[in-house]
PDB file of all heavy atoms in Angstrom:
ATOM      1  N   GLY A  12     109.017 112.487  89.992  1.00 54.00           N
ATOM      2  CA  GLY A  12     107.874 113.146  89.360  1.00 54.00           C
ATOM      3  C   GLY A  12     107.772 112.830  87.889  1.00 54.00           C
ATOM      4  O   GLY A  12     108.599 112.124  87.311  1.00 54.00           O
ATOM      5  N   ALA A  15     108.035 116.106  81.360  1.00 47.00           N
ATOM      6  CA  ALA A  15     107.232 117.086  80.643  1.00 47.00           C
ATOM      7  C   ALA A  15     106.369 116.423  79.582  1.00 47.00           C
ATOM      8  O   ALA A  15     105.294 116.913  79.261  1.00 47.00           O
ATOM      9  CB  ALA A  15     108.134 118.141  80.014  1.00 47.00           C
ATOM     10  N   GLY A  16     106.789 115.300  79.040  1.00 50.00           N
ATOM     11  CA  GLY A  16     106.016 114.611  78.019  1.00 50.00           C
ATOM     12  C   GLY A  16     104.808 113.873  78.566  1.00 50.00           C
ATOM     13  O   GLY A  16     103.955 113.428  77.816  1.00 50.00           O
ATOM     14  N   SER A  19     100.149 117.673  79.364  1.00 47.00           N
ATOM     15  CA  SER A  19     100.130 118.720  78.354  1.00 47.00           C
ATOM     16  C   SER A  19     100.743 120.010  78.854  1.00 47.00           C
ATOM     17  O   SER A  19     101.129 120.865  78.070  1.00 47.00           O
ATOM     18  CB  SER A  19      98.689 118.969  77.886  1.00 47.00           C
ATOM     19  OG  SER A  19      97.893 119.328  78.994  1.00 47.00           O
ATOM     20  N   MET A  20     100.859 120.192  80.174  1.00 47.00           N
ATOM     21  CA  MET A  20     101.493 121.393  80.708  1.00 47.00           C
ATOM     22  C   MET A  20     102.976 121.135  80.923  1.00 47.00           C
ATOM     23  O   MET A  20     103.424 120.015  80.903  1.00 47.00           O
ATOM     24  CB  MET A  20     100.819 121.799  82.013  1.00 47.00           C
ATOM     25  CG  MET A  20     101.017 120.805  83.126  1.00 47.00           C
ATOM     26  SD  MET A  20     100.076 121.254  84.542  1.00 47.00           S
ATOM     27  CE  MET A  20      99.020 119.830  84.609  1.00 47.00           C
ATOM     28  N   LEU A  31     108.551 118.867  98.463  1.00 82.00           N
ATOM     29  CA  LEU A  31     107.789 119.560  97.430  1.00 82.00           C
ATOM     30  C   LEU A  31     106.783 118.627  96.773  1.00 82.00           C
ATOM     31  O   LEU A  31     105.620 118.982  96.577  1.00 82.00           O
ATOM     32  CB  LEU A  31     108.729 120.158  96.376  1.00 82.00           C
ATOM     33  CG  LEU A  31     108.056 120.861  95.203  1.00 82.00           C
ATOM     34  CD1 LEU A  31     107.199 122.020  95.684  1.00 82.00           C
ATOM     35  CD2 LEU A  31     109.101 121.348  94.215  1.00 82.00           C
ATOM     36  N   GLU A  44      89.594 117.789  86.228  1.00 91.00           N
ATOM     37  CA  GLU A  44      90.373 117.306  85.086  1.00 91.00           C
ATOM     38  C   GLU A  44      91.866 117.513  85.305  1.00 91.00           C
ATOM     39  O   GLU A  44      92.660 116.614  85.056  1.00 91.00           O
ATOM     40  CB  GLU A  44      89.919 118.025  83.814  1.00 91.00           C
ATOM     41  CG  GLU A  44      90.588 117.493  82.571  1.00 91.00           C
ATOM     42  CD  GLU A  44      90.076 118.171  81.304  1.00 91.00           C
ATOM     43  OE1 GLU A  44      88.975 118.757  81.329  1.00 91.00           O
ATOM     44  OE2 GLU A  44      90.807 118.112  80.292  1.00 91.00           O
ATOM     45  N   ILE A  45      92.247 118.677  85.804  1.00 89.00           N
ATOM     46  CA  ILE A  45      93.678 118.945  86.018  1.00 89.00           C
ATOM     47  C   ILE A  45      94.231 118.044  87.120  1.00 89.00           C
ATOM     48  O   ILE A  45      95.352 117.545  87.021  1.00 89.00           O
ATOM     49  CB  ILE A  45      93.948 120.436  86.320  1.00 89.00           C
ATOM     50  CG1 ILE A  45      95.445 120.728  86.300  1.00 89.00           C
ATOM     51  CG2 ILE A  45      93.373 120.858  87.653  1.00 89.00           C
ATOM     52  CD1 ILE A  45      96.058 120.684  84.941  1.00 89.00           C
ATOM     53  N   GLY A  46      93.456 117.799  88.178  1.00 88.00           N
ATOM     54  CA  GLY A  46      93.897 116.904  89.237  1.00 88.00           C
ATOM     55  C   GLY A  46      94.084 115.490  88.728  1.00 88.00           C
ATOM     56  O   GLY A  46      95.070 114.818  89.046  1.00 88.00           O
ATOM     57  N   LEU A  49      97.246 115.360  86.581  1.00 88.00           N
ATOM     58  CA  LEU A  49      98.463 115.414  87.392  1.00 88.00           C
ATOM     59  C   LEU A  49      98.716 114.084  88.095  1.00 88.00           C
ATOM     60  O   LEU A  49      99.836 113.560  88.074  1.00 88.00           O
ATOM     61  CB  LEU A  49      98.377 116.550  88.409  1.00 88.00           C
ATOM     62  CG  LEU A  49      99.622 116.839  89.216  1.00 88.00           C
ATOM     63  CD1 LEU A  49     100.818 117.124  88.308  1.00 88.00           C
ATOM     64  CD2 LEU A  49      99.391 118.006  90.143  1.00 88.00           C
ATOM     65  N   MET A  54     101.635 108.837  88.356  1.00 88.00           N
ATOM     66  CA  MET A  54     101.543 107.372  88.328  1.00 88.00           C
ATOM     67  C   MET A  54     102.289 106.809  87.128  1.00 88.00           C
ATOM     68  O   MET A  54     103.008 105.813  87.251  1.00 88.00           O
ATOM     69  CB  MET A  54     100.083 106.940  88.344  1.00 88.00           C
ATOM     70  CG  MET A  54      99.460 107.100  89.713  1.00 88.00           C
ATOM     71  SD  MET A  54      97.857 106.309  89.832  1.00 88.00           S
ATOM     72  CE  MET A  54      96.796 107.734  89.779  1.00 88.00           C
ATOM     73  N   GLY A  57     105.913 106.397  87.539  1.00 89.00           N
ATOM     74  CA  GLY A  57     106.375 105.313  88.405  1.00 89.00           C
ATOM     75  C   GLY A  57     106.455 105.657  89.881  1.00 89.00           C
ATOM     76  O   GLY A  57     107.109 104.944  90.646  1.00 89.00           O
ATOM     77  N   VAL A  58     105.790 106.721  90.294  1.00 88.00           N
ATOM     78  CA  VAL A  58     105.878 107.131  91.690  1.00 88.00           C
ATOM     79  C   VAL A  58     105.299 106.067  92.622  1.00 88.00           C
ATOM     80  O   VAL A  58     105.863 105.801  93.684  1.00 88.00           O
ATOM     81  CB  VAL A  58     105.188 108.500  91.898  1.00 88.00           C
ATOM     82  CG1 VAL A  58     105.077 108.850  93.368  1.00 88.00           C
ATOM     83  CG2 VAL A  58     105.960 109.579  91.157  1.00 88.00           C
ATOM     84  N   ASN A  64     108.455 100.316  96.660  1.00 90.00           N
ATOM     85  CA  ASN A  64     109.833  99.837  96.847  1.00 90.00           C
ATOM     86  C   ASN A  64     110.434 100.418  98.122  1.00 90.00           C
ATOM     87  O   ASN A  64     111.156  99.732  98.853  1.00 90.00           O
ATOM     88  CB  ASN A  64     110.700 100.191  95.643  1.00 90.00           C
ATOM     89  CG  ASN A  64     110.373  99.355  94.432  1.00 90.00           C
ATOM     90  OD1 ASN A  64     109.845  98.248  94.550  1.00 90.00           O
ATOM     91  ND2 ASN A  64     110.661  99.883  93.262  1.00 90.00           N
ATOM     92  N   PRO A  72     110.563  93.025 107.137  1.00 82.00           N
ATOM     93  CA  PRO A  72     110.303  92.098 106.040  1.00 82.00           C
ATOM     94  C   PRO A  72     109.230  91.052 106.342  1.00 82.00           C
ATOM     95  O   PRO A  72     108.671  90.460 105.440  1.00 82.00           O
ATOM     96  CB  PRO A  72     111.651  91.431 105.801  1.00 82.00           C
ATOM     97  CG  PRO A  72     112.378  91.573 107.083  1.00 82.00           C
ATOM     98  CD  PRO A  72     111.886  92.845 107.706  1.00 82.00           C
ATOM     99  N   ALA A  73     108.958  90.821 107.598  1.00 81.00           N
ATOM    100  CA  ALA A  73     107.959  89.814 107.982  1.00 81.00           C
ATOM    101  C   ALA A  73     106.946  90.477 108.907  1.00 81.00           C
ATOM    102  O   ALA A  73     107.259  91.476 109.557  1.00 81.00           O
ATOM    103  CB  ALA A  73     108.648  88.653 108.697  1.00 81.00           C
ATOM    104  N   TRP A  82     109.174  97.384 114.410  1.00 86.00           N
ATOM    105  CA  TRP A  82     108.064  98.218 113.923  1.00 86.00           C
ATOM    106  C   TRP A  82     108.262  99.671 114.368  1.00 86.00           C
ATOM    107  O   TRP A  82     108.058 100.612 113.601  1.00 86.00           O
ATOM    108  CB  TRP A  82     106.737  97.672 114.429  1.00 86.00           C
ATOM    109  CG  TRP A  82     105.564  98.412 113.864  1.00 86.00           C
ATOM    110  CD1 TRP A  82     104.808  99.343 114.484  1.00 86.00           C
ATOM    111  CD2 TRP A  82     105.047  98.305 112.529  1.00 86.00           C
ATOM    112  NE1 TRP A  82     103.841  99.816 113.630  1.00 86.00           N
ATOM    113  CE2 TRP A  82     103.971  99.189 112.428  1.00 86.00           C
ATOM    114  CE3 TRP A  82     105.399  97.523 111.424  1.00 86.00           C
ATOM    115  CZ2 TRP A  82     103.227  99.340 111.260  1.00 86.00           C
ATOM    116  CZ3 TRP A  82     104.652  97.673 110.264  1.00 86.00           C
ATOM    117  CH2 TRP A  82     103.594  98.564 110.190  1.00 86.00           C
ATOM    118  N   ALA A  85     110.914 101.291 112.216  1.00 86.00           N
ATOM    119  CA  ALA A  85     110.405 101.530 110.869  1.00 86.00           C
ATOM    120  C   ALA A  85     109.490 102.750 110.840  1.00 86.00           C
ATOM    121  O   ALA A  85     109.544 103.552 109.899  1.00 86.00           O
ATOM    122  CB  ALA A  85     109.658 100.295 110.357  1.00 86.00           C
ATOM    123  N   CYS A  86     108.690 102.919 111.863  1.00 87.00           N
ATOM    124  CA  CYS A  86     107.767 104.065 111.912  1.00 87.00           C
ATOM    125  C   CYS A  86     108.493 105.380 112.119  1.00 87.00           C
ATOM    126  O   CYS A  86     107.949 106.446 111.819  1.00 87.00           O
ATOM    127  CB  CYS A  86     106.727 103.854 112.999  1.00 87.00           C
ATOM    128  SG  CYS A  86     105.538 102.559 112.573  1.00 87.00           S
ATOM    129  N   ALA A  94     105.914 109.447 102.244  1.00 89.00           N
ATOM    130  CA  ALA A  94     105.521 108.402 101.296  1.00 89.00           C
ATOM    131  C   ALA A  94     104.036 108.082 101.428  1.00 89.00           C
ATOM    132  O   ALA A  94     103.335 107.908 100.428  1.00 89.00           O
ATOM    133  CB  ALA A  94     106.367 107.145 101.515  1.00 89.00           C
ATOM    134  N   LEU A  96     101.751 110.153 102.549  1.00 89.00           N
ATOM    135  CA  LEU A  96     101.024 111.322 102.048  1.00 89.00           C
ATOM    136  C   LEU A  96     101.001 111.348 100.524  1.00 89.00           C
ATOM    137  O   LEU A  96     100.016 111.751  99.917  1.00 89.00           O
ATOM    138  CB  LEU A  96     101.646 112.606 102.598  1.00 89.00           C
ATOM    139  CG  LEU A  96     101.420 112.838 104.096  1.00 89.00           C
ATOM    140  CD1 LEU A  96     102.269 114.014 104.585  1.00 89.00           C
ATOM    141  CD2 LEU A  96      99.954 113.072 104.388  1.00 89.00           C
ATOM    142  N   SER A  99      98.430 108.930  99.413  1.00 88.00           N
ATOM    143  CA  SER A  99      97.122 109.512  99.682  1.00 88.00           C
ATOM    144  C   SER A  99      96.763 110.552  98.615  1.00 88.00           C
ATOM    145  O   SER A  99      95.633 110.606  98.137  1.00 88.00           O
ATOM    146  CB  SER A  99      97.118 110.163 101.067  1.00 88.00           C
ATOM    147  OG  SER A  99      95.918 110.846 101.294  1.00 88.00           O
ATOM    148  N   SER A 102      95.604 108.966  95.355  1.00 84.00           N
ATOM    149  CA  SER A 102      94.304 108.268  95.318  1.00 84.00           C
ATOM    150  C   SER A 102      93.224 109.271  94.926  1.00 84.00           C
ATOM    151  O   SER A 102      93.242 110.416  95.317  1.00 84.00           O
ATOM    152  CB  SER A 102      94.004 107.631  96.672  1.00 84.00           C
ATOM    153  OG  SER A 102      93.828 108.624  97.650  1.00 84.00           O
TER     154      SER A 102
END
Side-chain angles (χ1 to χ4, degrees):
S19 58
M20 66 186 118
L31 177 60
E44 185 177 340
I45 190 71
L49 187 56
M54 285 191 255
V58 171
N64 288 336
W82 185 257
C86 289
L96 290 171
S99 174
S102 66

